Amino acid sequence: MRLNLLLFLFSACVFNLRSQTDSSAVPFVAYWSTGDSYNFKVTKVKQKWKDDKLVKNDSTQYIANFEVIDSTEKSYKIKWTFENNLVNTYEIPEKLLEKYPECKRTEIIYTTTETGEFVAIENWEEYGKMMKDVFDALIETNSGAEKEKLTAVMAPMIESFSSRQSIEGVVFKELQYFHFPLGIEISTTDTLEYQEEYPHIFGGDPVKGRGILFVEEVDFESEYCVLINQAQMDPEQAKVLLTSAYRKMGITGENLDEELKNADISIRDDNRYAYFYFPGVPVFIETMRETKFQMDKEESVGIEKTIIELID
């Protein structure tokens, strides 16, 4: 997603680098120093409707600390620390908590470019292995049919912790949202159209889509800007992603492939970013992904929201 957007901006020419006094463009650039620290409240909401009936309404919330632990001419190193909600989500036994204290408190170390663009999580393998070990241990606490059922249900989750791509783009997608505008300069009057790339939950090739980006509000005196990003996944590629998820979860059926082929699926994003573009700190981010799926006369709608709020 970021690479395609940056290449588009580079090739568009109309967004060549300008000074901050140019009222036709907003530069999102990180001006951080080692030791800079901010606290954010992160809220995640998942809702699902089946045939217009609400069948799922879950939410989680945590407080995260963003700290710059190193700064060079070409990069920043960030520590993202938070109290983990895995204990409540998966009812992890006390014995596992003693073995894996990271289940309670997690530290993610990652790097960015000199402008604040997200680069990579450095300790993804360590975190991914810990999560896989925890899920494997949870499965082993069951037996018989319950164990088989839990194994099938957790297979996609275990898979999502097995690659850098899925950990960065799916497990910790809030970091992608946090850094999304950083490293670009955008016109205050034009709407950008670009090719979107959605990370594959199982570490496969990214899923294609189309996106737009535009400035809704800007205050040059306060160096504050509200950016709107909307995107939609290609429907045929969405079917491929869904088929992959079904197979990973062991969901089969005599006519499943044909039913999926004839299904209607729509996945769209509507995201809002409010930033102090200098020094490059978000004030409020709200993202929303809506998934509509209709197969064999059954219709379901899913909403996933992520809200990131600066608290101090």
Side-chain angles (χ1 to χ4, degrees):
M1 177 174 70
R2 293 285 301 155
L3 179 59
N4 284 340
L5 179 56
L6 288 173
L7 287 175
F8 181 90
L9 289 169
F10 178 77
S11 62
C13 296
V14 295
F15 302 120
N16 290 335
L17 291 177
R18 304 177 175 93
S19 69
Q20 292 186 24
T21 59
D22 186 347
S23 61
S24 66
V26 177
F28 286 86
V29 179
Y31 292 94
W32 305 327
S33 300
T34 301
D36 284 356
S37 177
Y38 303 94
N39 290 321
F40 296 89
K41 180 169 66 175
V42 180
T43 305
K44 297 182 180 182
V45 179
K46 289 187 178 182
Q47 298 173 310
K48 186 175 182 180
W49 289 263
K50 279 192 175 181
D51 296 324
D52 296 326
K53 182 180 179 180
L54 184 64
V55 295
K56 182 179 182 179
N57 189 15
D58 297 336
S59 66
T60 60
Q61 192 174 88
Y62 69 85
I63 304 298
N65 177 254
F66 169 96
E67 182 184 359
V68 180
I69 58 176
D70 193 21
S71 173
T72 72
E73 290 184 358
K74 295 184 177 181
S75 67
Y76 294 100
K77 182 178 289 189
I78 310 298
K79 181 168 66 174
W80 181 261
T81 308
F82 62 95
E83 297 295 329
N84 217 321
N85 56 26
L86 293 171
V87 177
N88 296 327
T89 304
Y90 299 108
E91 298 181 355
I92 299 176
E94 190 63 34
K95 288 184 179 180
L96 280 181
L97 292 179
E98 294 175 1
K99 185 176 181 180
Y100 301 105
E102 300 92 339
C103 289
K104 290 185 177 180
R105 185 174 176 82
T106 298
E107 288 187 357
I108 297 299
I109 308 297
Y110 66 96
T111 54
T112 77
T113 65
E114 71 275 15
T115 60
E117 179 190 352
F118 182 89
V119 175
I121 292 179
E122 292 194 340
N123 61 337
W124 74 269
E125 284 185 292
E126 176 187 342
Y127 181 78
K129 182 181 184 305
M130 183 273 292
M131 290 303 303
K132 182 181 183 303
D133 289 347
V134 169
F135 285 139
D136 286 343
L138 279 174
I139 291 171
E140 290 302 318
T141 61
N142 293 269
S143 60
E146 280 298 317
K147 182 177 180 179
E148 291 182 8
K149 180 180 178 181
L150 192 60
T151 299
V153 169
M154 286 197 163
M157 289 184 284
I158 293 174
E159 187 77 20
S160 69
F161 287 100
S162 65
S163 72
R164 178 193 293 273
Q165 182 186 26
S166 51
I167 286 179
E168 292 177 346
V170 179
V171 179
F172 289 107
K173 58 186 174 183
E174 57 262 44
L175 296 181
Q176 302 294 329
Y177 296 141
F178 188 105
H179 292 270
F180 173 74
L182 293 168
I184 67 173
E185 184 175 51
I186 184 168
S187 166
T188 60
T189 57
D190 297 332
T191 297
L192 285 174
E193 297 183 9
Y194 67 96
Q195 179 174 284
E196 180 68 278
E197 287 192 350
Y198 295 83
H200 197 297
I201 188 173
F202 304 121
D205 293 335
V207 181
K208 305 295 184 181
R210 300 297 298 175
I212 63 172
L213 194 66
F214 61 91
V215 172
E216 181 183 70
E217 176 188 346
V218 63
D219 183 339
F220 286 100
E221 185 175 346
S222 300
E223 295 174 307
Y224 172 83
C225 180
V226 177
L227 190 66
I228 303 298
N229 174 223
Q230 298 170 339
Q232 183 155 357
M233 188 182 295
D234 178 87
E236 293 304 313
Q237 295 223 355
K239 288 182 184 180
V240 173
L241 184 65
L242 184 66
T243 302
S244 177
Y246 272 37
R247 288 174 178 166
K248 285 288 184 181
M249 295 175 67
I251 299 175
T252 59
E254 184 177 346
N255 301 315
L256 181 62
D257 287 345
E258 187 66 23
E259 290 173 351
L260 287 171
K261 182 180 178 181
N262 296 323
D264 289 326
I265 183 168
S266 169
I267 299 177
R268 70 177 187 89
D269 293 334
D270 192 352
N271 305 333
R272 179 185 177 89
Y273 302 85
Y275 260 78
F276 283 116
Y277 58 86
F278 181 90
V281 177
V283 179
F284 183 84
I285 297 173
E286 182 173 14
T287 69
M288 186 277 290
R289 174 165 295 176
E290 178 190 72
T291 303
K292 291 184 177 180
F293 178 61
Q294 185 168 3
M295 184 175 73
D296 193 25
K297 298 182 181 180
E298 182 179 278
E299 183 179 62
S300 65
V301 177
I303 298 290
E304 289 191 27
K305 291 184 179 180
T306 299
I307 300 170
I308 303 173
E309 302 172 77
L310 176 66
I311 55 178
D312 59 58

